[in-house]
Amino acid sequence: MPTYALVSSCERLLTSLRVGLQRLLLAGALTLAAYPVSAQTQNETPWHAVAYAYLNTLFLLNLDPIDWSLIERVLTTDHDGRVLGHPASERLIQLDQAAGSTHWQAIETALSTRSPATLYAATTRAVSEAIRQHLKNAATALEQPGLARAEIDQAQALFRAFAYAIRQTDPEAFRALGLAWLELASSVRQNSVIGAGDLPADQPAFASAQTLLSSYLIENFEPEMFAERIVYEPVPEQRILADPHIKLFAWLPPGTDLNDQDPLPRLVMNFEEQGIDERKLPLVAYGDMLFDSPEIFGDPARRLGIACSTCHNRGDVNQRFFINGISPRPGVVDVDGAFFNATSNDHRADALDIPSLRGLRFTGPYGRDGRSSSLRDLIRHIIVNDFKGPEPSPLVLDALVAYLLELDFLPAPHLERDGRLKATASDKAKRGELLFGTTFPSMNGGKACASCHTPDSHFTDNEVHDIGSAGKGAASGFSGAFDTPTLLGTLHTAPYLHDGRFSTLAEVIAWKDETFGLGLDEAEQADLLAYLEAVGEGADPYQAFDGESTPFHLMIEEIDVFLSPLDILIPEQDREHADLLLRTVVGNMEFDAGAMTNRAARDKTLELAESLWRLRDMILQEQWNEAAITWRDYQETADAYEAKQH
């Protein structure tokens, strides 16, 4: 596109966009989405420190209550390998020195006064002006192409802080601004490829694109009286529906990790151990599908693709799971805050470690605090209260219970069936076993570790206890009791304690020794650790892949199982549950196809997905005869394709 056409097009777009974006900022600035995440996130390109801190700050300001100390850390500390350069505070101080501005001073004032609106305004304006400053630097260095390109790269890395929000609020303007960035890069002097010397910089083209971007930033992210015009409050749902200029969309901050744990935990199912094909267990298979379905939850979890399996990866612990502000550390999450369901916000910073669901039929009561003796009741609570989902049908609850009760422990190679160590265990572990069964006067009146973690009862007593891990609560309350977790498989389920504060079992032993004054010396702690590692070791804990068993074939087998309940649902003309199944499965297929590098496999997967969408249309229109024929045709096609792959 010629430069003049680009400028003309963008000017028209920016005029129409200005009202819409500013009204969105005015109505709910802190709900402005800036970074998309799904439950299968991709590896990120490293972030500019200021853009990274800005997006995390916006997200944290939208939580209730606001963790101001965490916001301050986000702005003033390094963030490992996820960002480039020094902390945001240092970069902004450098900007102030170069531009004669006072952005960092304004941010410090907002932090000290605990003003969300002021902090939003100060950080937004700082990012915007930082972008413009780098563009100014590039303009003065056009005859030094390396330096000019470096400044443009810095500006574009900062613009990433606004890019996703602009794309969501007005995709057409987003494309036009993208062309402006291309114009900037192409207008910088290039080395000639034909040996005729360097090509001169296209200064008019650069100036036009720079003016366009700068004008947009000033008009939309640096308005006069910015702080006073921002209203810091959630946007009421009815207002969103009534006002077409307000667009709300789900997002999570940079640094979020919702990917499956790697290596992938091995799934151990009781029915498989008995040689039963899951496809012959339609209730279990339907529950398996639901466990992997965001469709049973409400927003924002559903729109972000979060399902039960996101946290409980293959029934185990997703040790990678992390959302800044919701997860104090990986493998830990606070689901009863304001983010997933504001109605259920308990206003407590009470994040819990993600528990393994292996052997669930033996490990009640359920909930980390043992809140429910009924697994069915807890599942309903999680769907409706924690994740704002619709009231689940009896079939949905029955299916999830049926599936979860089939999850089995990893085989314990060092244990007899009654929980005692085998004779082949190490001497250290055997000494640790004796310590584990030793009573201590200082431990709740003379208890042993084995008093609660009962070896012949899957290393739990199925009760709740207050061991002092929650700290001091209300004087008249009993809020510090938690369930006795099984020790089976724990070697693979870090982090430890109810809030995941410890990374190793050795740290748990040291804490227990100090808290209860057990007086264990270094050798005794080492013996006890050897015992816990022997109890907690599971045979073949991770999924093995080879030439025959690949992630692709695992996906195909999973889809086959998920779809198998249609053999029952279609003849029973169960429109509701067939629709839920197909929305889940086809969505997963299309997402998986997008990540495939084998074009033939991708095309075939998309073709199969399209046939399932047609099947869903027939079911929704209650064309049951046609649906039965289409379902049979799909099975034949899928079987033929799978046979060809082998």
Side-chain angles (χ1 to χ4, degrees):
M1 177 185 293
T3 302
Y4 72 87
L6 172 68
V7 173
S8 176
S9 172
C10 284
E11 284 177 345
R12 291 195 300 272
L13 283 168
L14 296 180
T15 300
S16 63
L17 175 63
R18 187 180 309 125
V19 173
L21 183 57
Q22 288 185 351
R23 289 182 69 180
L24 183 144
L25 291 170
L26 290 170
L30 303 181
T31 65
L32 184 64
Y35 173 60
V37 174
S38 73
Q40 295 89 15
T41 54
Q42 305 298 320
N43 292 330
E44 290 184 63
T45 302
W47 284 80
H48 190 289
V50 174
Y52 182 91
Y54 173 76
L55 294 180
N56 272 279
T57 296
L58 257 64
F59 183 78
L60 294 171
L61 284 175
N62 212 24
L63 300 181
D64 181 18
I66 297 172
D67 187 339
W68 287 97
S69 62
L70 179 56
I71 291 175
E72 188 166 355
R73 289 198 300 274
V74 164
L75 289 165
T76 59
T77 60
D78 288 318
H79 300 280
D80 304 321
R82 291 189 294 266
V83 301
L84 300 172
H86 298 291
S89 55
E90 293 187 23
R91 302 294 288 270
L92 292 173
I93 289 171
Q94 292 171 0
L95 167 68
D96 287 340
Q97 293 171 345
S101 54
T102 57
H103 294 302
W104 182 246
Q105 181 180 339
I107 291 171
E108 286 186 311
T109 299
L111 288 171
S112 65
T113 59
R114 299 290 193 262
S115 171
T118 304
L119 182 58
Y120 174 80
T123 53
T124 301
R125 187 181 286 114
V127 172
S128 181
E129 188 161 323
I131 297 169
R132 294 195 295 108
Q133 183 62 42
H134 282 296
L135 292 179
K136 290 178 183 177
N137 295 343
T140 61
L142 285 179
E143 299 310 315
Q144 299 174 274
L147 180 58
R149 289 191 203 105
E151 292 290 346
I152 293 172
D153 289 345
Q154 288 287 309
Q156 197 158 15
L158 283 163
F159 187 75
R160 192 178 177 191
F162 300 144
Y164 184 68
I166 298 169
R167 186 173 69 187
Q168 293 297 313
T169 54
D170 196 321
E172 191 174 356
F174 176 79
R175 288 191 294 271
L177 293 169
L179 289 173
W181 284 107
L182 291 174
E183 189 80 18
L184 286 176
S186 63
S187 62
V188 176
R189 178 164 59 93
Q190 303 288 330
N191 290 327
S192 173
V193 295
I194 58 176
D198 292 334
L199 300 175
D202 189 343
Q203 294 186 1
F206 184 95
S208 296
Q210 178 191 3
T211 300
L212 175 64
L213 285 161
S214 297
S215 299
Y216 174 80
L217 291 169
I218 292 169
E219 293 173 3
N220 292 284
F221 295 99
E222 304 174 37
E224 295 180 5
M225 304 297 289
F226 200 119
E228 290 75 10
R229 292 172 63 188
I230 296 299
V231 179
Y232 176 63
E233 61 182 4
V235 183
E237 185 174 355
Q238 61 270 24
R239 187 172 177 187
I240 296 172
L241 296 175
D243 192 337
H245 294 292
I246 298 176
K247 297 182 180 180
L248 194 65
F249 38 93
W251 67 290
L252 289 172
T256 292
D257 191 345
L258 304 183
N259 288 297
D260 287 344
Q261 181 178 322
D262 184 20
L264 199 64
R266 179 166 73 99
L267 184 62
V268 182
M269 304 299 292
N270 183 261
F271 59 78
E272 287 182 346
E273 300 302 302
Q274 300 183 44
I276 302 173
D277 188 336
E278 186 176 2
R279 289 169 293 189
K280 296 181 179 180
L281 303 170
L283 191 64
V284 173
Y286 197 76
D288 193 353
M289 178 278 300
L290 292 170
F291 193 74
D292 206 40
S293 176
E295 298 294 325
I296 63 174
F297 293 149
D299 288 334
R302 180 182 57 80
R303 283 182 289 165
L304 293 167
I306 293 175
C308 302
S309 60
T310 306
C311 293
H312 305 283
N313 191 200
R314 310 204 84 204
D316 205 70
V317 177
N318 186 353
Q319 296 170 315
R320 296 179 58 157
F321 185 98
F322 179 79
I323 303 173
N324 200 20
I326 294 175
S327 303
R329 59 194 65 86
V332 178
V333 60
D334 184 356
V335 298
D336 54 7
F339 180 69
F340 292 113
N341 186 2
T343 304
S344 297
N345 183 12
D346 65 0
H347 288 268
R348 298 178 182 93
D350 54 357
L352 300 173
D353 67 320
I354 297 170
S356 172
L357 303 183
R358 297 189 190 274
L360 199 62
R361 63 188 182 278
F362 304 116
T363 59
Y366 302 105
R368 205 62 179 84
D369 56 3
R371 70 182 65 178
S372 179
S373 60
S374 166
L375 180 58
R376 182 186 177 93
D377 288 348
L378 181 66
I379 292 170
R380 182 203 170 274
H381 174 86
I382 291 170
I383 293 172
V384 175
N385 297 106
D386 288 345
F387 289 100
K388 204 178 180 180
E391 189 67 42
S393 70
L395 177 61
V396 166
L397 292 175
D398 289 343
L400 280 167
V401 169
Y403 172 71
L404 292 173
L405 292 181
E406 291 288 339
L407 292 169
D408 231 338
F409 293 115
L410 291 166
H414 305 295
L415 296 179
E416 303 286 359
R417 290 181 66 86
D418 61 2
R420 291 178 299 141
L421 284 181
K422 290 181 177 179
T424 54
S426 70
D427 290 340
K428 286 182 67 174
K430 290 175 182 177
R431 292 195 300 269
E433 184 175 33
L434 293 175
L435 276 171
F436 194 76
T438 300
T439 59
F440 293 89
S442 60
M443 193 153 67
N444 294 341
K447 287 189 175 182
C449 299
S451 299
C452 298
H453 298 284
T454 313
D456 63 357
S457 185
H458 307 97
F459 289 86
T460 178
D461 61 358
N462 301 109
E463 294 184 10
V464 294
H465 302 278
D466 186 347
I467 62 171
S469 61
K472 188 175 181 179
S476 60
F478 296 90
S479 59
F482 299 97
D483 68 324
T484 303
T486 178
L487 300 181
L488 295 173
T490 51
L491 191 60
H492 317 289
T493 59
Y496 302 109
L497 224 58
H498 75 275
D499 55 3
R501 72 183 70 169
F502 297 129
S503 300
T504 67
L505 291 170
E507 291 175 312
V508 177
I509 293 171
W511 176 84
K512 191 83 171 179
D513 179 59
E514 180 181 355
T515 301
F516 287 92
L518 304 182
L520 300 176
D521 61 29
E522 186 174 329
E524 288 173 321
Q525 290 195 32
D527 290 344
L528 193 53
L529 175 61
Y531 172 69
L532 291 181
E533 289 176 340
V535 170
E537 182 177 349
D540 302 320
Y542 303 111
Q543 180 71 40
F545 293 111
D546 53 33
E548 290 296 319
S549 175
T550 65
F552 175 74
H553 286 115
L554 186 66
M555 178 197 75
I556 294 297
E557 291 172 5
E558 185 176 73
I559 289 172
D560 192 31
V561 168
F562 286 2
L563 289 170
S564 62
L566 290 174
D567 289 335
I568 302 293
L569 297 174
I570 291 177
E572 291 186 351
Q573 300 186 6
D574 189 336
R575 181 177 182 269
E576 174 189 354
H577 295 103
D579 175 41
L580 173 56
L581 183 154
L582 287 167
R583 280 187 283 122
T584 298
V585 174
V586 182
N588 285 346
M589 288 176 68
E590 291 180 336
F591 184 89
D592 290 335
M596 291 179 182
T597 56
N598 184 316
R599 182 170 181 177
R602 181 176 69 248
D603 292 347
K604 192 63 179 179
T605 301
L606 291 174
E607 178 187 333
L608 292 172
E610 181 59 33
S611 68
L612 290 175
W613 281 132
R614 291 196 299 271
L615 173 61
R616 176 175 179 259
D617 289 340
M618 294 172 188
I619 289 173
L620 292 179
Q621 296 170 29
E622 299 190 352
Q623 298 171 349
W624 296 107
N625 290 333
E626 294 87 343
I629 295 171
T630 301
W631 169 231
R632 185 175 64 247
D633 291 344
Y634 170 88
Q635 290 174 297
E636 293 175 354
T637 303
D639 289 344
Y641 176 54
E642 178 65 10
K644 185 178 180 180
Q645 293 302 303
H646 287 289

